[in-house]
Amino acid sequence: MEYSGEGSAQGVFSCELCGLSTPFSYYGQKPPNTSSIVLLEECYVMKDPFSPEKEKFLVIGSHCSLCRKRVCVGTECSLFYTKRFCLQCIKMHLEEFPQEVQQELTKRKSVQKND
Amino acid sequence: MHSNRESNNWEWDNPHNRALLDEVFFREQDYIRARSEEHKEFWKFFERFQRFQEKREAAGRSGKRREDEGGKGQGQGKKKASSVDLGLPKEYDPRYRINLSVRTKDIEERHSSRHRREEKTGVGKQEVSACRLGLLHFIDFTQKQSFGKLAKLKKEQRNLPIFQYRDKIVDMVRAHPVVVVAGDTGCGKSTQVPQYLLSAGFSHIACTQPRRIACISLAKRVSFESLNQYGSKVGYQIRFETTRTPATKMVFLTEGLLLRQIQQDATLPQYEVVIVDEVHERHLHCDFLLGVLRTLISLRSDLKIILMSATINIKLFSKYFGSAPVIQVPGRLYPIQVIYQPIPQEEQPSRSEKLDPRPYLRVLQGIDHTYPPEERGDLLLFLSGVAEISTVLEAAQAYATHTRNWIVLPLHSTLSVTDQDKVFDISPPGVRKCIISTNIAETSVTIDGVRFVVDSGKVKEMSFDPKAKMQRLQEFWISRASSEQRKGRAGRTGPGVCYRLYAESDYEAFSPYPIPEIQRVALDSLVLQMKSMNLGDPRTFPFIDPPPASSIETALHYLREQGALDSQGELTPIGSLLAQLPVDVVIGKMLVLGCLFSVVEPVLTIAAALSVQSPFLRSAQNNPDCATARKPLESSQGDPFTLLNAFNEWVQVKSERGGTSRKWCRRRGLEEQRLYEMVNLRRQFKELLRSHSLIDTEGNSSSRQDSYQRRQRHGERKQLHRLKREHEKQESGKRKVLRLEGEESGSSSDEERGRGRKDNAVDIQDVKFKLRHSVPELREAAASSQDLSRRQQALLKLVLCRGLYPQLALPDEHNANRKDSDQIFHTRSKQGVVIHPTSVFASDPEVLHIQEHEKKETGPDKEESSKHQILAYVSLLETNKPYIGNCVRSPALQTLLLVARSLDTNADCTRIVVDGWLELGLSDAEAALRTLSSALQLRGSWERLLNVQLGSRRGDEGPTGPAVSSKDVAKLADSLLKFLLYIEISYSLRRLTGLESQNLYIGPQADPGLPTLASLFPSADAEPDPVKGGLKVTSFFTYNCLSGSKDLYSDCLRSFWSCPHCDLYMPLTPLERMQHEAVCRPPGEVQLEEDVSEQPSSKARSSTALQRQYHCDVCDQDFEFTSTEILKHRRQHQ
């Protein structure tokens, strides 16, 4: 499968948390044209629109490993720590995560408040 | 420990070491390839990454214990005890945050086995894993970067006011053939609506823009936003450039170009959706396009039309399209405070005076007093014209040198592109930009960061005076709509202030909308285009706002006069050709005429040069260095020749290796951009002429190149493409910081340095130029038109004059006694025009004067000379004075006799009135007759050859009709040149007074004596002229119709004459003699002549084409006679 043709969109990905929506061209763990890279989760992938090279891909989102919600990879919606977690699930299970992740989340929250 | 040390010894910077790792991670088939841009970035990233790792390791060792304890404490304390075990590793590692892995196992294994034997030099496991980790983080980093861009873009899109209407717009378009989307500045309609339609599944979308520049920038923006920056889904198409491919679903193009496409195929099958943007601006082409689209709807029920407009006069558009639904979108403007500051009486400029800058300076001062310099925000000042701008600019600059917190910049369309671009640069902190602009900044140019707007309330607008056939640039009050538009420029990026230098009552009195362009310009080209699109009678075309009926009549009359329409108002062959050319009728004519003779190359250049703005910058005229450098380019023959020289020289510079044309242009005060436009336009003309078989479709030179040249060219092109790509990469979003005036010791030297630096950078225009054009081919063309022989020059001039006709001007008879600056000229419809100061004849008027020794007094107010000259001009524009621009001089008598539409004579042809306004007086009757007679013959054969040429191209398919024989053309050129260059005849030349031209003709005569002559003429329509009297001999020549001639019957007087070609010697009337000359040829030439006049359609003619049926009433017999034979025969009976 290739991204190149304009009509290769598989469908439209839309994040169930922030509403970000954009067409994707591949779902899975092995983005096309890239033999040396394997994704560690099943991802929604598009050709990287900001790169002139057509084999460069961009991971847009995947499913939360707990609630199976479709979420984008944006830091306000999900986080990857060996698996994908949506922010709602992380909040519920915050204690399961190592200190570094927890700190990062509280820091981010305070930054958001200051915005 | 051992391995650790080894790792420390590993030199990451060592290129050899890096190369070893490159073999593992960055192979041809890998995600990142060695030597790519990203590969370079990776190693840079890697260095930072390692430093970061080291720091963290150091910090981690000391902080580890505490953290561990804390973690444990919390872990034990958790109460909620989530029911699921997420199975997460408790030991945090940044590696776990990355959702991908890099597989290089195969090569690694090979490497490690190989390197085990040469352990000292090879890559160790440790290095490989360090590099892999770096690579993982790098890919993760680039992913985050790209996703960040994507998220930002999507967020901005969602925040646009129009986003709420997305579904509504799509639904409406699905349901209705025509939809109006109205929204003010900043609502996002121009960028978003096309995308909404694209993602709703529409394709084949055309979106028109009034300006070329908007086509390019919108195509760029929309393809970026629709995540197709590197694809070709979204493209643009403008006059010389297109990014369109078969994959293109949406194209931005100019209104004019879409009209041309409709001209090609009236049903516009290539589009499914047409978006017409900025309809409220009411440009000529846009109004016309709306009319055409309205008629198209009935033919194309599947076509979707979307009109986009500011919230101005929306009802008009909706109503025009049968009450089309309107979607109104609020704009996004910050609040703007309006301050009315009318200019006090004593500071108001009177008509003749310069503008008083004081009211404008007060605003600058006011801003300085009221707003602290830390609060950023620039000032945009709207004035009516260039003169006004320089007045205020001067004063504001003086103020700025004093206060040192303003940078003052002018902005108008005659500035060089570089100078125009300066308005987008940023000012240093604490300093504001003050941009003094024409209404170009109202819509065409959008400058960010403007907080203050000063509105003079004035605009200069072009209008057309059909009576004087003259453009007029006049100052008007603006409309309320423009006034609001100007105000809005202050509120794009934050709250703003708008100072209106007029009273609120003035504002109330403004007209609500600007006058549509169609109501105030000449409609020649429009009407011609309408004719060629088969749109029926232009008088009844359903325009949204019909132009004045008189404008259409003027245009129709003009087109008839130019031969583009016949007397029934139908398109002539030349007319249909002119309609294909995207230029003024006169320029088009020039091109067609040029094709016949061997002057195509220079005519192409001149036609292109006259269709773009002059490359000679006005500002450089006062610079003595520029003036000196320009001197060698100037031609005393006229401005078109100067332009030709400039272009040819420029091509020469371009073709020299390493020659920098940019520098060459700067020295001469030339705007290179215009030259690029010229070369593009020139090529377009050439292609058009070729596609109409008007010039040979010679195998283009590339096919004639040998393989070595081809390879060389191929290599060159590759290199050029690379340069272009590099440039595009660098160019994104660069903005320079402006320098405060006078900050540096020598501003000019600094400027030079700045420019010098730029010279080393890629000259992208040059790259594009070389990609698009074959320089050797251009050089060849330039060389062929560079050193024109006297003959070529004369022929070229004749082509220009006939093209430009009736745009002719006569020098005033007293010019020789006037100062250089007071030289005046007269056109047929406008007296007392002056030459534009940029013209060569403004600086060197003597070449138009007749020297004392070249003239002789022949009576009161009558001076005869053989050196009279007239000017043909391209433009007549009235600003403070009526100016003629782009002039060429030409010998008066010869030119007039060859190009004028109407020549009227007295009986012995010593008095010739040209087009009812110029009188040629020739005291030598014999010479007068000879000259007029040869002019008639020349025009006859010229016309014939032109018709053959135009006719042959019309042979729809298959073999074309009789082609023009080059022998005939050469002969005609030769005869024309003899006529132009070697006729030495003294004559007087003057304008007729008003009274004289009123009583010019004798009028129809009852005398039956004249008609008998009619039988002598081969053209059956030689008959008494019903208006002028006399005898209408050809469409342009009426004999003996002038009143006030000595003797009405002198036409019957015969004098003995011997024909130089045959043995005829007998008494003939002037007309009889001309008639004989028209058909009598030297024996050798007869054969040639026959070939030309042999028309396939004509009835079988007897032995010679010169013979025709003649019925003699006296002998009551039919003869096959030549005209001379008829004369002889008739003489027998007398």
Side-chain angles (χ1 to χ4, degrees), chain B residues 991-1010:
Chain B
R991 270 180 310 140
L992 296 176
T993 63
L995 199 65
E996 280 173 317
S997 28
Q998 269 169 35
N999 305 307
L1000 194 54
Y1001 302 114
I1002 47 170
Q1005 296 293 299
D1007 194 316
L1010 289 169

Side-chain angles (χ1 to χ4, degrees), chain B residues 241 464 633 1021:
Chain B
E241 250 183 289
F464 180 67
L633 300 177
D1021 56 355

Side-chain angles (χ1 to χ4, degrees), chain A residues 3-4 33-34 46-59, chain B residues 30-33 36-39 41 138-139 142-143 145-147 149-150 153 223-224 226-232 725 729:
Chain A
Y3 304 112
S4 45
N33 301 329
T34 51
M46 71 195 295
K47 184 212 158 296
D48 184 349
F50 307 105
S51 164
E53 291 164 58
K54 64 173 185 293
E55 62 270 22
K56 291 284 180 286
F57 64 85
L58 174 61
V59 173
Chain B
D30 280 323
Y31 193 60
I32 295 171
R33 257 170 264 126
S36 68
E37 202 53 41
E38 257 190 310
H39 173 250
E41 273 168 42
F138 178 67
I139 295 175
T142 55
Q143 285 285 317
Q145 235 181 1
S146 281
F147 186 82
K149 275 190 206 168
L150 178 73
L153 191 153
S223 59
F224 173 77
S226 55
L227 309 178
N228 200 258
Q229 190 179 354
Y230 297 101
S232 54
R725 272 196 308 273
K729 213 164 189 179

Side-chain angles (χ1 to χ4, degrees), chain B residues 225-476:
Chain B
E225 280 195 31
S226 55
L227 309 178
N228 200 258
Q229 190 179 354
Y230 297 101
S232 54
K233 206 161 80 177
V234 181
Y236 66 85
Q237 191 172 7
I238 55 173
R239 194 141 82 163
F240 310 116
E241 250 183 289
T242 182
T243 58
R244 203 177 176 156
T245 73
T248 302
K249 289 185 168 183
M250 144 124 235
V251 63
F252 287 90
L253 74 180
T254 54
E255 292 147 354
L257 205 58
L258 186 66
L259 279 168
R260 295 260 161 220
Q261 292 177 353
I262 301 176
Q263 206 174 341
Q264 305 292 321
D265 187 339
T267 60
L268 209 54
Q270 63 267 54
Y271 301 117
E272 194 181 301
V273 182
V274 174
I275 305 175
V276 187
D277 201 359
E278 317 282 11
V279 287
H280 64 277
E281 289 189 20
R282 306 299 307 276
H283 294 283
L284 180 64
H285 278 142
C286 186
D287 270 18
F288 179 40
L289 180 62
L290 291 182
V292 174
L293 288 175
R294 202 174 83 146
T295 56
L296 192 58
I297 296 175
S298 54
L299 293 173
R300 287 273 317 267
S301 53
D302 59 322
L303 187 71
K304 299 292 183 189
I305 295 171
I306 296 122
L307 310 182
M308 301 210 286
S309 150
T311 49
I312 295 172
N313 218 354
I314 309 162
K315 264 192 214 137
L316 176 77
F317 299 108
S318 164
K319 225 176 81 192
Y320 186 57
F321 282 95
S323 305
V326 176
I327 300 167
Q328 200 161 340
V329 182
R332 190 170 61 182
L333 270 188
Y334 293 90
I336 299 161
Q337 184 193 1
V338 177
I339 299 170
Y340 287 96
Q341 273 183 15
I343 296 174
Q345 193 61 46
E346 66 274 15
E347 288 174 356
Q348 269 177 21
S350 62
R351 249 184 94 74
S352 54
E353 269 174 61
K354 277 213 302 196
L355 191 75
D356 192 330
R358 281 178 291 174
Y360 301 91
L361 286 186
R362 276 201 297 275
V363 176
L364 264 74
Q365 284 170 331
I367 292 171
D368 282 342
H369 286 148
T370 321
Y371 303 94
E374 313 84 72
E375 280 182 26
R376 294 206 74 133
D378 299 324
L379 168 70
L380 176 60
L381 208 156
F382 286 100
L383 291 174
S384 62
V386 177
E388 289 74 10
I389 288 177
S390 31
T391 307
V392 176
L393 185 77
E394 209 177 297
Q397 247 153 10
Y399 176 75
T401 357
H402 172 65
T403 60
R404 308 192 57 79
N405 60 350
W406 288 94
I407 288 175
V408 192
L409 299 166
L411 176 62
H412 49 81
S413 61
T414 58
L415 277 182
S416 73
V417 180
T418 336
D419 283 342
Q420 281 188 26
D421 279 348
K422 271 195 193 146
V423 302
F424 299 111
D425 295 344
I426 329 162
S427 56
V431 177
R432 295 179 203 281
K433 270 190 296 186
C434 166
I435 298 152
I436 311 182
S437 172
T438 57
N439 61 341
I440 189 175
E442 205 175 293
T443 46
S444 319
V445 180
T446 299
I447 307 152
D448 281 331
V450 170
R451 181 177 172 193
F452 308 99
V453 162
V454 179
D455 178 12
S456 66
K458 298 285 177 60
V459 67
K460 271 193 188 143
E461 232 161 37
M462 203 69 94
S463 58
F464 180 67
D465 178 347
K467 226 165 151 192
K469 270 266 156 208
M470 180 174 70
Q471 304 254 62
R472 196 172 268 144
L473 192 64
Q474 275 175 300
E475 195 178 77
F476 298 101

Side-chain angles (χ1 to χ4, degrees), chain B residues 834-847:
Chain B
V834 296
I835 293 200
H836 198 265
T838 53
S839 170
V840 63
F841 299 122
S843 47
D844 191 11
E846 271 108 73
V847 294

Side-chain angles (χ1 to χ4, degrees), chain B residues 80-97:
Chain B
K80 267 188 253 163
S82 45
S83 49
V84 277
D85 176 17
L86 301 181
L88 298 177
K90 289 293 174 251
E91 188 80 19
Y92 181 80
D93 189 322
R95 168 71 189 82
Y96 299 142
R97 300 294 305 279

